[in-house]
Amino acid sequence: MAAGPAGAGIVWQTPSNPPERQDYIFRNGRRYVRPYYFEFISHVKNRWAGKTIVDLFTDEFKGRPREYYVRAVKCGRLQVDDQMVHTDYIVQSSQKISHFLHRHEPPVLGGDITILQNEADVVTVSKPASVPVHPCGQYRKNTVVAVHRLDRLVSGLLIFAKNADKAESFRQQIEASLLQKEYVAKVVGVFPDGEQIVDANVHFNGREGRSTAEVCDGHGKAPIGKQACTKFQRICTDGTHSIVLCKPVTGRTHQIRVHLKHIGYPIANDEVYLSENFSPRSSKGTRINRATTLACTLPSSDPDGCADVGDNATEADEEFSIDPMCTNCPNLAPV
């Protein structure tokens, strides 16, 4: 941990800081993370080059208003190559950009993670739904780190290797296709009886956070996604929903979810693939609510509103300090 650019009153965390018990707040069956200061580091992509630092963040990271990024540059919370820059600074390809911010993580279910088996080289745990396996996106502390992953919304078994030799053994077995994964899904509709094999390429759009299934259109145009195959077997049905055994032959992002959607039996509570009215990531984060507006107009003796958090901090429910520049405070979960 080190003092941040906004002054010695702020302590910034780095990826090397492991989560601790006091980092969490439990409310109404959910586990929240106490907001903390963090440095995000990225490097300028080719398509970003030539933009001003403010335009870049306004266009690419829509969760905060342009006014926030202007203030962040002036305060030194947005830096290029570890140096403060002016708001009209033009970024160049491969430059390092540091974004120092007050981070709020989404909550997850607050139940314990059960240890099912604990051996000399391996420990097996039951991961609840809503908890991501490893740090990704908005999650850093509300995670479970493991050698093989399950999607955040999926519950299931995770196997941890306790040492490097066992981890290498798992890696070799996975690459040799000696390990098989099975999933059970509740889908909409009466799933057909007998084994159903779906062989459709999967194309993942990271910007939108969604995959699509693709097949040859018969006119010679090859699909751009990666080859993917899943085997399905109906376990039971009540006439409205079905319980289906899913065996992925390949491992593509959202493969099972998008293949079930592709054949007309989406997972029953899948917000991304169940509805045709899916709202992509690029359309989110553009509405600024009252908390954001207040955070961007907090009074300050500094004309740019760049006072240290220690100068004017107040307590939200006496559980964490409010950052005057944060667009999520005073809410515990992110807006």
Side-chain angles (χ1 to χ4, degrees), residues 134-152:
H134 52 76
C136 58
Q138 296 185 80
Y139 298 88
R140 176 173 169 264
K141 296 186 178 184
N142 257 346
T143 66
V144 177
V145 179
V147 297
H148 217 57
R149 75 181 190 87
L150 291 171
D151 286 346
R152 177 176 63 87

Side-chain angles (χ1 to χ4, degrees), residues 117-187:
Q117 192 167 1
N118 192 358
E119 301 177 347
D121 296 328
V122 173
V123 59
T124 304
V125 304
S126 177
K127 186 192 87 69
S130 81
V131 182
V133 172
H134 52 76
C136 58
Q138 296 185 80
Y139 298 88
R140 176 173 169 264
K141 296 186 178 184
N142 257 346
T143 66
V144 177
V145 179
V147 297
H148 217 57
R149 75 181 190 87
L150 291 171
D151 286 346
R152 177 176 63 87
L153 298 178
V154 177
S155 60
L157 304 185
L158 288 175
I159 301 174
F160 291 80
K162 291 186 177 181
N163 53 62
D165 289 341
K166 194 62 178 181
E168 175 62 17
S169 173
F170 282 153
R171 185 192 66 79
Q172 293 178 5
Q173 292 179 63
I174 292 170
E175 291 186 352
S177 300
L178 298 177
L179 296 181
Q180 295 183 341
K181 294 185 291 183
E182 294 185 351
Y183 300 79
V184 176
K186 180 179 181 180
V187 304

